[in-house]
Amino acid sequence: MGVFAHPDDESLLAGGVLARHHAAGARTAVVTATWAPDSRRAPELADALAVLGAGTPRLLGYNDARNLEAAPSQPRLVDAPLDEGVGRLVAHIREFCPDILVGHDALGQLTGHPDHVRTHQITLLAVGAAGLAHLHPEAGPPWQPAALYAATHPESGVGLLGPLLEDVGKRVLAVPDAYVTTSVDVAPWLDVKWRAILAHRGEVARARSLPGVLARRPEAERIQIIRTEHFTRLAPEPTAGDAAQLTT
């Protein structure tokens, strides 16, 4: 299950991994924190998830921090009570029962978008809460995912993407290379990933959005940028250690 802030984050950050798992016969799903079911981006998200084999949209329904047309009648994700967002995500986790969750990293994915950061925080708390029956009992029977991965970018892997983002006025936030635990070459699923990105037609048409930036680049350059997906594994549950003392 992917948990991302906006429509298109799932395709850009983990489209290859989602396509790979679907091709292997695994169930996959995506929860999107912002934008309403009746918004203009919801149909595009549905098309992208269909390409990836990730089911139908699961929308938490919050407003975007920077685009208030996302869900005009709802609070911004960054303003909503944290525990409310956690409870909404816990309900999806317990309903779908994923073994693996993939979400944003603590930096907010290169540009530090506040919705990315907030979604990371909600995901961390929800993964911990989902396995504890006394937390959010209204959300269904407890379920503990086995693994949580944060999609990220290592400093050495920013490459061509860094200058492209800087050219459209966006900052680049990357993690030290040692922070990356998993790097997946998604070359066999690049066609699927790119078709999912293109399904976000409104973003492709925008000059400053990453889908739009990528769509204007030569194919060879675009492939180099999107063919590797990087992740940091975060422990979602207690792990065995020294029973008599705290250890590193």
Side-chain angles (χ1 to χ4, degrees), residues 43-45 47-49 51 194-202 204:
E44 297 177 357
L45 175 61
D47 290 345
L49 297 187
V51 171
W194 182 237
R195 285 192 288 117
I197 293 171
L198 291 178
H200 294 283
R201 296 171 291 278
V204 171

Side-chain angles (χ1 to χ4, degrees), residues 105 107 109-111 152-158 172-177:
D105 69 5
L107 294 180
Q109 239 63 54
L110 284 175
T111 61
T152 194
H153 291 81
E155 292 170 347
S156 66
V158 171
V172 178
L173 301 175
V175 300
D177 287 12

Side-chain angles (χ1 to χ4, degrees), residues 129-222:
L132 299 173
H134 293 296
L135 295 178
H136 302 284
E138 76 287 351
W143 174 264
Q144 181 62 68
L148 170 62
Y149 286 86
T152 194
H153 291 81
E155 292 170 347
S156 66
V158 171
L160 297 171
L161 186 56
L164 291 179
L165 290 175
E166 290 171 349
D167 284 348
V168 295
K170 296 186 178 183
R171 58 180 175 170
V172 178
L173 301 175
V175 300
D177 287 12
Y179 194 74
V180 175
T181 60
T182 310
S183 295
V184 183
D185 183 354
V186 299
W189 301 276
L190 268 183
D191 177 64
V192 176
K193 177 175 179 174
W194 182 237
R195 285 192 288 117
I197 293 171
L198 291 178
H200 294 283
R201 296 171 291 278
E203 296 304 289
V204 171
R206 295 179 62 230
R208 295 186 69 248
S209 72
L210 185 50
V213 169
L214 292 173
R216 296 192 300 272
R217 305 312 303 168
E219 182 180 11
E221 183 177 328
R222 183 172 66 243

